[in-house]
Amino acid sequence: MELDTRGPRFGAAVTAVLLAAALVTESAGLLAWQALCFAAGALLGVGRSPYGLLFRAVVRPGIGPSTDLEPPGPPRFAQGVGLAFALLGLVGHLGGASWLAAAATGCAKRGGVPQRGVPQRGVRLLPRLPALPPAAPRRPPFPVNSPRTDGEPPRVILPTVSAYYPMRRVTWA
């Protein structure tokens, strides 16, 4: 069964607000609730998660049916990744490692959001830029004379600037 693409995006928006509040307030309760939502999305499917049910009951009737559908696999996998990081954040909260809790909560936000939500297939956020011309071949930083035939290394000519002479070429052998 295909998913309405707006459902996971709605769930991602609610998740973003909830996890931002969990980060700011350092609340283990909010993170535990989100971990339960991630678990429901990963085990039962995104459509049966609390945010999926809320979308289906409240939001979808007001915006009408969607013509853009996606397979449920990628959002379900993202819910599993979000669950892993949320559980790691709970371990940090319960163990007193606030740095671990904050880092894992931030990663749970990134992991729980389906990557196909925005931009959608075929939608560009930025206009296509014209192609750049091919790069010119790079020159060495200092002019190098042609290779010597007597087995010695090539001479390097370094430009120098002097107060007495505007430009002088010094040849090193």
Side-chain angles (χ1 to χ4, degrees), residues 83-164:
L83 173 64
F85 281 111
L87 291 176
L88 187 62
L90 283 175
V91 167
H93 273 293
L94 298 176
S98 60
W99 62 270
L100 177 62
T105 302
C107 291
K109 164 61 186 99
R110 182 69 180 147
V113 176
Q115 301 303 312
R116 295 181 62 186
V118 174
Q120 280 295 311
R121 289 173 252 146
V123 175
R124 293 190 189 279
L125 293 179
L126 298 174
R128 183 179 288 250
L129 299 174
L132 296 175
R138 297 195 58 158
R139 297 184 336 196
F142 302 108
V144 177
N145 291 349
S146 61
R148 296 175 65 168
T149 58
D150 57 357
E152 293 290 321
R155 286 198 237 165
V156 177
I157 301 173
L158 300 175
T160 60
V161 177
S162 167
Y164 301 108

Side-chain angles (χ1 to χ4, degrees), residues 10-11 14 33-34 36-41 44-57 79:
F10 172 77
V14 175
W33 166 254
Q34 187 56 48
L36 287 174
C37 292
F38 280 147
L44 303 174
V46 179
R48 293 188 186 105
S49 71
Y51 305 143
L53 295 174
L54 182 66
F55 173 78
R56 193 177 321 149
Q79 295 289 307

Side-chain angles (χ1 to χ4, degrees), residues 51-81:
Y51 305 143
L53 295 174
L54 182 66
F55 173 78
R56 193 177 321 149
V58 177
V59 178
R60 189 182 207 181
I63 59 176
S66 174
T67 59
D68 195 18
L69 302 175
E70 70 177 345
R76 195 169 186 177
F77 175 76
Q79 295 289 307
V81 173

